[in-house]
Short mmCIF file of all heavy atoms in Angstrom, two decimals:
data_model
loop_
_atom_site.label_atom_id
_atom_site.label_comp_id
_atom_site.label_asym_id
_atom_site.label_seq_id
_atom_site.Cartn_x
_atom_site.Cartn_y
_atom_site.Cartn_z
N ALA A 380 -12.84 14.00 10.24
CA ALA A 380 -13.68 13.89 11.47
C ALA A 380 -13.31 12.77 12.32
O ALA A 380 -13.19 12.78 13.56
CB ALA A 380 -15.12 13.82 11.06
N VAL A 381 -13.02 11.58 11.71
CA VAL A 381 -12.58 10.36 12.44
C VAL A 381 -11.24 10.57 13.11
O VAL A 381 -11.15 10.39 14.30
CB VAL A 381 -12.63 9.14 11.46
CG1 VAL A 381 -11.91 7.92 12.24
CG2 VAL A 381 -13.98 8.78 11.13
N ALA A 382 -10.26 11.13 12.35
CA ALA A 382 -8.94 11.24 12.83
C ALA A 382 -9.01 12.23 13.97
O ALA A 382 -8.42 12.14 15.01
CB ALA A 382 -7.94 11.75 11.71
N SER A 383 -9.76 13.40 13.80
CA SER A 383 -9.70 14.39 14.90
C SER A 383 -10.42 14.01 16.17
O SER A 383 -10.09 14.48 17.16
CB SER A 383 -10.36 15.65 14.30
OG SER A 383 -9.58 16.39 13.31
N THR A 384 -11.42 13.08 15.94
CA THR A 384 -12.15 12.62 17.15
C THR A 384 -11.08 11.65 17.85
O THR A 384 -10.95 11.84 19.15
CB THR A 384 -13.34 11.81 16.72
OG1 THR A 384 -14.27 12.75 16.09
CG2 THR A 384 -14.05 11.16 17.90
N GLU A 385 -10.42 10.90 17.21
CA GLU A 385 -9.49 10.00 17.89
C GLU A 385 -8.42 10.67 18.46
O GLU A 385 -7.81 10.15 19.50
CB GLU A 385 -8.97 8.83 16.80
CG GLU A 385 -10.10 7.92 16.37
CD GLU A 385 -9.67 6.88 15.35
OE1 GLU A 385 -8.57 6.80 15.00
OE2 GLU A 385 -10.59 6.20 14.93
N GLU A 386 -7.94 11.67 17.93
CA GLU A 386 -6.91 12.55 18.40
C GLU A 386 -7.34 13.42 19.56
O GLU A 386 -6.48 14.12 20.21
CB GLU A 386 -6.22 13.45 17.43
CG GLU A 386 -5.59 12.59 16.39
CD GLU A 386 -5.31 13.27 14.94
OE1 GLU A 386 -5.78 14.54 14.95
OE2 GLU A 386 -4.85 12.82 14.02
N GLY A 387 -8.65 13.47 19.78
CA GLY A 387 -9.12 14.28 20.88
C GLY A 387 -9.37 15.77 20.48
O GLY A 387 -9.59 16.62 21.42
N ARG A 388 -9.26 16.08 19.22
CA ARG A 388 -9.49 17.49 18.79
C ARG A 388 -10.98 17.80 18.59
O ARG A 388 -11.27 19.01 18.57
CB ARG A 388 -8.71 17.63 17.48
CG ARG A 388 -7.19 17.75 17.73
CD ARG A 388 -6.39 17.95 16.34
NE ARG A 388 -5.06 18.40 16.58
CZ ARG A 388 -4.16 17.45 16.89
NH1 ARG A 388 -4.45 16.30 16.95
NH2 ARG A 388 -2.91 17.90 17.07
N LEU A 389 -11.69 16.89 18.22
CA LEU A 389 -13.02 17.06 17.76
C LEU A 389 -13.98 16.65 18.85
O LEU A 389 -14.12 15.46 19.13
CB LEU A 389 -13.44 16.44 16.44
CG LEU A 389 -14.80 16.74 15.88
CD1 LEU A 389 -15.16 18.07 15.66
CD2 LEU A 389 -14.98 15.84 14.54
N PRO A 390 -14.58 17.54 19.65
CA PRO A 390 -15.46 17.12 20.87
C PRO A 390 -16.82 16.69 20.42
O PRO A 390 -17.30 16.87 19.30
CB PRO A 390 -15.56 18.29 21.61
CG PRO A 390 -15.60 19.49 20.63
CD PRO A 390 -14.67 18.92 19.55
N TRP A 391 -17.42 15.90 21.45
CA TRP A 391 -18.86 15.64 21.29
C TRP A 391 -19.56 17.03 21.84
O TRP A 391 -19.01 17.72 22.58
CB TRP A 391 -19.26 14.53 22.10
CG TRP A 391 -18.70 13.13 21.70
CD1 TRP A 391 -17.80 12.83 20.77
CD2 TRP A 391 -19.16 11.90 22.33
NE1 TRP A 391 -17.62 11.47 20.68
CE2 TRP A 391 -18.42 10.93 21.67
CE3 TRP A 391 -20.03 11.47 23.41
CZ2 TRP A 391 -18.54 9.53 21.98
CZ3 TRP A 391 -20.11 10.26 23.65
CH2 TRP A 391 -19.47 9.12 22.94
N GLY A 392 -20.82 17.03 21.44
CA GLY A 392 -21.67 18.01 22.01
C GLY A 392 -21.75 19.40 21.17
O GLY A 392 -21.37 19.36 20.02
N GLU A 393 -22.07 20.38 21.84
CA GLU A 393 -22.43 21.70 21.16
C GLU A 393 -21.34 22.16 20.45
O GLU A 393 -21.43 22.80 19.37
CB GLU A 393 -22.90 22.73 22.25
CG GLU A 393 -24.20 22.31 23.01
CD GLU A 393 -25.37 22.23 22.10
OE1 GLU A 393 -25.38 23.02 21.06
OE2 GLU A 393 -26.34 21.47 22.37
N ASP A 394 -20.08 22.02 20.83
CA ASP A 394 -18.95 22.66 20.13
C ASP A 394 -18.43 21.92 19.01
O ASP A 394 -17.55 22.38 18.24
CB ASP A 394 -17.73 22.77 21.21
CG ASP A 394 -17.49 24.29 21.50
OD1 ASP A 394 -18.15 25.13 20.91
OD2 ASP A 394 -16.44 24.52 22.05
N HIS A 395 -19.09 20.68 18.70
CA HIS A 395 -18.52 19.87 17.60
C HIS A 395 -18.55 20.70 16.27
O HIS A 395 -17.54 20.69 15.55
CB HIS A 395 -19.50 18.69 17.53
CG HIS A 395 -19.20 17.69 16.38
ND1 HIS A 395 -18.37 16.57 16.53
CD2 HIS A 395 -19.54 17.81 15.08
CE1 HIS A 395 -18.26 15.96 15.34
NE2 HIS A 395 -18.94 16.68 14.47
N HIS A 396 -19.61 21.22 15.98
CA HIS A 396 -19.72 21.93 14.57
C HIS A 396 -18.92 23.10 14.40
O HIS A 396 -18.15 23.26 13.40
CB HIS A 396 -21.15 22.36 14.45
CG HIS A 396 -22.22 21.26 14.48
ND1 HIS A 396 -22.26 20.17 13.57
CD2 HIS A 396 -23.11 20.94 15.46
CE1 HIS A 396 -23.36 19.33 13.88
NE2 HIS A 396 -23.74 19.80 15.13
N ARG A 397 -18.70 23.88 15.51
CA ARG A 397 -17.92 25.18 15.37
C ARG A 397 -16.37 24.67 15.16
O ARG A 397 -15.68 25.19 14.31
CB ARG A 397 -18.00 25.95 16.65
CG ARG A 397 -17.17 27.25 16.64
CD ARG A 397 -17.34 27.99 17.91
NE ARG A 397 -16.72 27.22 19.06
CZ ARG A 397 -15.37 27.28 19.29
NH1 ARG A 397 -14.47 27.94 18.53
NH2 ARG A 397 -14.96 26.52 20.39
N ILE A 398 -15.97 23.85 16.01
CA ILE A 398 -14.57 23.46 15.97
C ILE A 398 -14.30 22.64 14.65
O ILE A 398 -13.14 22.86 14.02
CB ILE A 398 -14.23 22.53 17.20
CG1 ILE A 398 -14.22 23.35 18.35
CG2 ILE A 398 -12.86 21.80 17.05
CD1 ILE A 398 -13.96 22.65 19.74
N PHE A 399 -15.16 21.93 14.14
CA PHE A 399 -14.89 21.15 12.88
C PHE A 399 -14.77 22.25 11.74
O PHE A 399 -13.86 22.13 10.91
CB PHE A 399 -15.96 20.17 12.58
CG PHE A 399 -15.70 19.24 11.41
CD1 PHE A 399 -14.57 18.32 11.56
CD2 PHE A 399 -16.24 19.30 10.21
CE1 PHE A 399 -14.23 17.54 10.45
CE2 PHE A 399 -16.03 18.50 9.15
CZ PHE A 399 -14.92 17.55 9.26
N ARG A 400 -15.68 23.10 11.78
CA ARG A 400 -15.62 24.14 10.65
C ARG A 400 -14.48 25.16 10.75
O ARG A 400 -13.84 25.52 9.76
CB ARG A 400 -16.99 24.83 10.61
CG ARG A 400 -18.17 23.97 10.00
CD ARG A 400 -19.44 24.49 10.44
NE ARG A 400 -20.48 23.82 9.68
CZ ARG A 400 -20.85 22.47 9.93
NH1 ARG A 400 -20.29 21.86 10.90
NH2 ARG A 400 -21.75 21.95 9.24
#
Side-chain angles (χ1 to χ4, degrees):
Chain A
V381 169
S383 286
T384 299
E385 292 178 5
E386 292 158 5
R388 288 180 166 78
L389 182 58
W391 291 12
E393 296 297 331
D394 244 5
H395 179 96
H396 302 290
R397 181 183 66 80
I398 288 176
F399 191 67
R400 283 160 173 73

